[in-house]
Amino acid sequence: MINNIKNRIKKELEQKLNDKFDQNVIVIVEEPKKAEQGDISIPVFSVVKVLRKPLPLVVETVKEFLGTISDAHLIAKVDSVSGFINITLDKEKYAALVINNYNLNSENYGSNKMGLNKTVCIDYSSPNIAKPFSIGHLRSTIIGHSIGNIMEKCGYKVVRINHLGDFGTQFGKTIYAYLNWGDEAKVKEHPVAELVKLYVEFNDRAKIDKSIEEEARKIFTELEKGNPKFVELWEFIREESLKEYMKVYKLLGVQFDSYNGEAFYNDKMLAVVDELKEKSLLKKDQGAMIVDLGEQIPPALIQKSDGSTLYITRDLAALFYRKNTYNFSEALYVVGNEQKLHFNQLQQVVGLMGYDYSSDIHHINFGLVLQDGKKMSTRKGKIVKLEDVLKEASKLSLKYINEKNPGLKNKEVTAEKIGISAVIFNDLKNYRTNDFEFNLEEMVNFVGQTGPYLQYTSVRIKSILDSIKESQSEIDYNLFTKDHIFEIIKNISQYEDIIIKSKEEYSPSVVAKYLLNLASLFNSFYAKEKVIVDDLVERHTKLCLLRMVKDILDDGMGLLGMSAIQKM
RNA sequence: GACUCGAUAGCUCAGCUGGAUAGAGCAAAAGCUUCCGGAGCUUUAGGUCGGGGGUUCAAGUCCUCUUCGAGUCGCCA
């Protein structure tokens, strides 16, 4: 909301200045760093430069114009300090505006309609079956899920796609290992764990004996051709893996609209190759078929010299399928930084094919999960299993509950919600492209900028709201003239702006940081102010404020994919 | 070697289109509970924004060179 006001001030001032001086000036409108400096500020240096008038004259002119803009009634005070014009809002009027706005839209406060009648496809999680579901997949899952929620809040229809890695040479490896040294009984009992062991062991053995790689490739080729024995095994592996993943998704509260994986596109790739041929984009090079993308980036390898297709071919087939099926306005791929080149190539190839929606393809890249500064690997044996992480986080939160609130009912259930939300929040609070040092200790440290801090704040507010039967009363807007209370109102009014920014950057961290700040403001307020006071008007006003803060905290945590907690 | 991304307090990170005295949390030190939940709050201390040069009235932010780290660079995904 404050952004709307800023934009209006900017537009109207520019209009008025341009009319008066017949120049093309750009007015910068921002928020000062310190609250004492006001709520909105305008550095006029750029205006001075264009108009070539003395600074005091420009300041006076702008101040004069500010008195005639459409939001003039909201302005309480205008100061000027060394080239900055500082606007202080009328706290009572602004608070009334914010509260009315909230009451009009309390069901879905902070939402907007930028995505109305638009569909977005988000490809996330997408684990490779028969390989471990690692902590790396967790990032894609959590980030993708949250971006989906945020875009729904912006009015988009969101299609959540789990592009399972259910095809590829790793199946040849797993099947080879299973047939040669697998224990059928063990595999039947714990399919995924055993299959992963077999896969890891295969890679260990392949270091010593290169020839088994060749055998694995042969098996995969047979699988592609439809060898019934291998197909049966493949189906078993896929089914069991998916069952296992569903458990994790349930814990995380994540759902998908489609589980069409790589295998689904297997019969759709020839058409892609044909189309590329038709458009004369394919070129034979060193026995393989490539699309040349110029000097800047390496060519896209479409078809291997043995005729089989590659990752990018599959992604092209998937993209066309999605465009035809969902007619997306944006296609997002929540995949790690290391695949930046791949998606760059994908986008370029689509562009060369003449599709204008190539610019709607966005790689939502994210940083690596590091351990001791190095990328985690599934091959070196030290696999960090997602399930174990979530379990440990839950265990630790149970320990905290036993210390802080031993009498709590359903401790285990709450501990799980807190622990998992802590892991989610820890991931999302950082800007997504940054690398991420994996440190369980810090993830579940329940002090400071953490998920539990947000949950705790919400639970605290709930406890106050539940403790009192409220009688209807007037709102005392005069209360909002106190700085620390107005600060909260101002933050409440920024929720919509925050969601828009978060969508534009495709980064849930924007919401996460905002919630931390809001919670912190509330906790400071709570330490200073008594809520349940005898004065009914004051009490009602404060309870209104609390309700808004709690709603936003809960809604924001929901956007991040965190669980709601009633008591903790 | 080429390209991409990153480097801000001891640690983990914010810092929007360049704007005022660079901000949080953790860790450290000191406090706060007759009263609505102390997983909280308040205060102190902590900085050559990797380094050099440049553009600008103004640079953590833009340009350039450089150091370090990570990632990628045709038959894996």
Side-chain angles (χ1 to χ4, degrees):
Chain A
M1 198 167 95
I2 203 151
N3 271 2
N4 296 339
I5 296 174
K6 277 158 65 185
N7 285 334
R8 280 199 295 270
I9 292 177
K10 178 182 164 71
K11 286 221 174 91
E12 290 180 35
L13 283 182
E14 282 172 357
Q15 184 69 49
K16 287 173 198 285
L17 284 165
N18 292 342
D19 286 351
K20 175 159 180 165
F21 295 102
D22 195 27
Q23 288 274 1
N24 199 18
V25 299
I26 289 172
V27 176
I28 295 167
V29 181
E30 53 191 28
E31 283 163 61
K33 286 181 181 164
K34 294 185 192 300
E36 311 92 76
Q37 292 165 329
D39 301 303
I40 294 171
S41 84
I42 305 167
V44 294
F45 308 102
S46 57
V47 180
V48 169
K49 200 170 183 181
V50 173
L51 296 183
R52 295 188 186 178
K53 305 274 187 221
L55 194 135
L57 177 77
V58 173
V59 168
E60 278 317 304
T61 310
V62 171
K63 278 171 105 170
E64 198 186 306
F65 283 153
L66 279 173
T68 66
I69 61 170
S70 54
D71 289 308
H73 64 286
L74 287 173
I75 297 174
K77 199 174 70 171
V78 178
D79 293 319
S80 56
V81 190
S82 60
F84 292 89
I85 295 178
N86 292 329
I87 299 168
T88 304
L89 294 172
D90 183 311
K91 292 181 169 53
E92 291 187 46
K93 283 183 186 157
Y94 189 71
L97 198 65
V98 173
I99 290 169
N100 287 335
N101 185 266
Y102 173 86
N103 287 335
L104 284 175
N105 194 15
S106 60
E107 291 294 304
N108 199 2
Y109 185 70
S111 64
N112 67 77
K113 296 192 165 65
M114 70 194 286
L116 207 66
N117 299 321
K118 287 183 188 167
T119 299
V120 58
C121 289
I122 311 184
D123 179 326
Y124 65 97
S125 197
S126 310
N128 292 322
I129 280 171
K131 284 188 188 176
F133 191 109
S134 72
I135 191 86
H137 292 113
L138 179 66
R139 290 217 76 186
S140 172
T141 309
I142 290 174
I143 294 169
H145 180 236
S146 178
I147 290 176
N149 295 346
I150 289 165
M151 291 191 77
E152 272 170 3
K153 186 106 185 163
C154 293
Y156 287 86
K157 179 178 177 355
V158 176
V159 181
R160 299 158 186 270
I161 301 171
N162 194 344
H163 188 72
L164 293 171
D166 57 3
F167 221 68
T169 42
Q170 79 261 27
F171 282 91
K173 294 178 184 179
T174 307
I175 291 173
Y176 178 89
Y178 175 70
L179 293 176
N180 282 281
W181 62 81
D183 180 331
E184 193 179 333
K186 273 190 186 170
V187 171
K188 286 260 154 68
E189 203 179 337
H190 300 291
V192 175
E194 284 302 317
L195 290 168
V196 166
K197 259 190 211 163
L198 289 172
Y199 176 77
V200 172
E201 192 177 345
F202 179 94
N203 283 298
D204 288 342
R205 294 201 190 191
K207 276 180 208 151
I208 301 155
D209 181 4
K210 287 272 174 203
S211 71
I212 62 170
E213 297 255 13
E214 191 53 42
E215 294 298 316
R217 246 193 299 277
K218 276 185 197 158
I219 290 177
F220 178 63
T221 311
E222 284 290 303
L223 174 63
E224 264 187 304
K225 285 180 188 160
N227 178 319
K229 184 178 166 192
F230 295 148
V231 169
E232 195 187 326
L233 273 170
W234 173 79
E235 280 172 349
F236 171 75
I237 296 171
R238 188 184 194 275
E239 201 175 310
E240 290 299 329
S241 301
L242 204 49
K243 266 191 217 161
E244 197 74 13
Y245 296 155
M246 293 312 280
K247 284 188 210 160
V248 177
Y249 292 141
K250 200 179 169 194
L251 279 177
L252 292 170
V254 170
Q255 330 81 30
F256 297 93
D257 300 303
S258 164
Y259 292 87
N260 288 339
E262 290 168 3
F264 178 79
Y265 299 102
N266 215 32
D267 60 355
K268 298 171 181 63
M269 285 189 287
L270 207 59
V272 174
V273 177
D274 285 345
E275 189 180 339
L276 285 164
K277 264 184 207 155
E278 239 169 69
K279 292 180 174 168
S280 318
L281 293 168
L282 277 189
K283 201 168 96 180
K284 194 154 191 166
D285 196 282
Q286 296 171 32
M289 299 305 276
I290 63 161
V291 175
D292 202 330
L293 297 172
E295 298 285 304
Q296 297 300 316
I297 60 171
L301 188 59
I302 301 293
Q303 203 170 29
K304 297 196 241 180
S305 42
D306 68 2
S308 56
T309 52
L310 284 138
Y311 184 36
I312 194 163
T313 327
R314 245 181 215 99
D315 265 356
L316 284 166
L319 181 76
F320 298 147
Y321 176 83
R322 289 171 195 175
K323 186 67 189 177
N324 290 332
T325 308
Y326 307 111
N327 192 27
F328 58 75
S329 63
E330 283 178 64
L332 310 185
Y333 295 84
V334 186
V335 182
N337 282 339
E338 67 271 22
Q339 291 189 32
K340 203 156 191 196
L341 176 62
H342 165 75
F343 285 103
N344 197 349
Q345 290 175 326
L346 181 76
Q347 189 168 35
Q348 301 242 6
V349 172
V350 174
L352 285 174
M353 289 174 87
Y355 297 113
D356 56 0
Y357 58 81
S358 67
S359 57
D360 301 328
I361 300 168
H362 299 294
H363 177 207
I364 311 304
N365 56 323
F366 56 82
L368 294 168
V369 180
L370 304 175
Q371 200 170 38
D372 305 322
K374 284 182 184 169
K375 185 182 176 180
M376 274 196 204
S377 168
T378 57
R379 292 192 179 179
K380 287 166 195 161
K382 46 173 188 177
I383 304 154
V384 177
K385 270 168 59 187
L386 178 58
E387 250 189 286
D388 295 343
V389 174
L390 298 180
K391 267 184 202 158
E392 275 204 58
S394 305
K395 225 168 88 185
L396 204 57
S397 79
L398 184 62
K399 197 185 108 190
Y400 274 85
I401 290 172
N402 282 328
E403 282 171 17
K404 306 283 182 186
N405 193 1
L408 186 70
K409 287 177 188 167
N410 292 323
K411 277 194 275 194
E412 282 76 14
V413 177
T414 304
E416 191 179 278
K417 283 183 178 174
I418 294 173
I420 291 171
S421 292
V423 173
I424 292 173
F425 188 79
N426 183 68
D427 192 318
L428 293 182
K429 75 176 176 185
N430 296 323
Y431 186 68
R432 43 160 241 274
T433 62
N434 294 341
D435 286 351
F436 183 108
E437 178 75 25
F438 179 78
N439 185 332
L440 195 65
E441 289 286 313
E442 265 182 39
M443 261 192 203
V444 291
N445 185 2
F446 292 171
V447 182
Q449 298 173 327
T450 64
Y453 176 74
L454 295 181
Q455 288 171 321
Y456 170 72
T457 307
S458 167
V459 165
R460 243 179 150 184
I461 296 174
K462 180 177 163 48
S463 150
I464 300 166
L465 292 175
D466 286 349
S467 72
I468 189 91
K469 268 207 176 154
E470 205 189 335
S471 50
Q472 273 303 316
S473 168
E474 296 289 302
I475 286 180
D476 175 15
Y477 290 108
N478 186 45
L479 201 66
F480 299 109
T481 55
K482 289 188 183 178
D483 283 339
H484 67 280
I485 301 183
F486 185 68
E487 202 55 34
I488 297 177
I489 279 289
K490 216 162 99 179
N491 266 265
I492 289 170
S493 78
Q494 282 164 332
Y495 189 48
E496 185 184 343
D497 304 332
I498 287 293
I499 285 167
I500 290 169
K501 190 180 172 200
S502 176
K503 186 269 157 192
E504 278 168 353
E505 293 184 10
Y506 302 105
S507 187
S509 68
V510 175
V511 171
K513 298 275 185 196
Y514 166 83
L515 293 177
L516 281 176
N517 187 245
L518 183 64
S520 168
L521 286 174
F522 167 77
N523 282 319
S524 300
F525 160 85
Y526 183 72
K528 278 186 207 139
E529 298 272 345
K530 188 161 169 59
V531 175
I532 313 289
V533 290
D534 293 337
D535 183 325
L536 286 182
V537 177
E538 184 183 339
R539 182 198 286 186
H540 175 69
T541 306
K542 284 177 170 172
L543 289 172
C544 279
L545 186 71
L546 260 59
R547 205 171 299 114
M548 290 192 289
V549 171
K550 183 183 186 306
D551 281 356
I552 291 176
L553 286 176
D554 291 351
D555 189 69
M557 286 193 279
L559 292 180
L560 299 179
M562 295 167 65
S563 304
I565 305 261
Q566 307 302 319
K567 275 186 163 38
M568 65 191 276

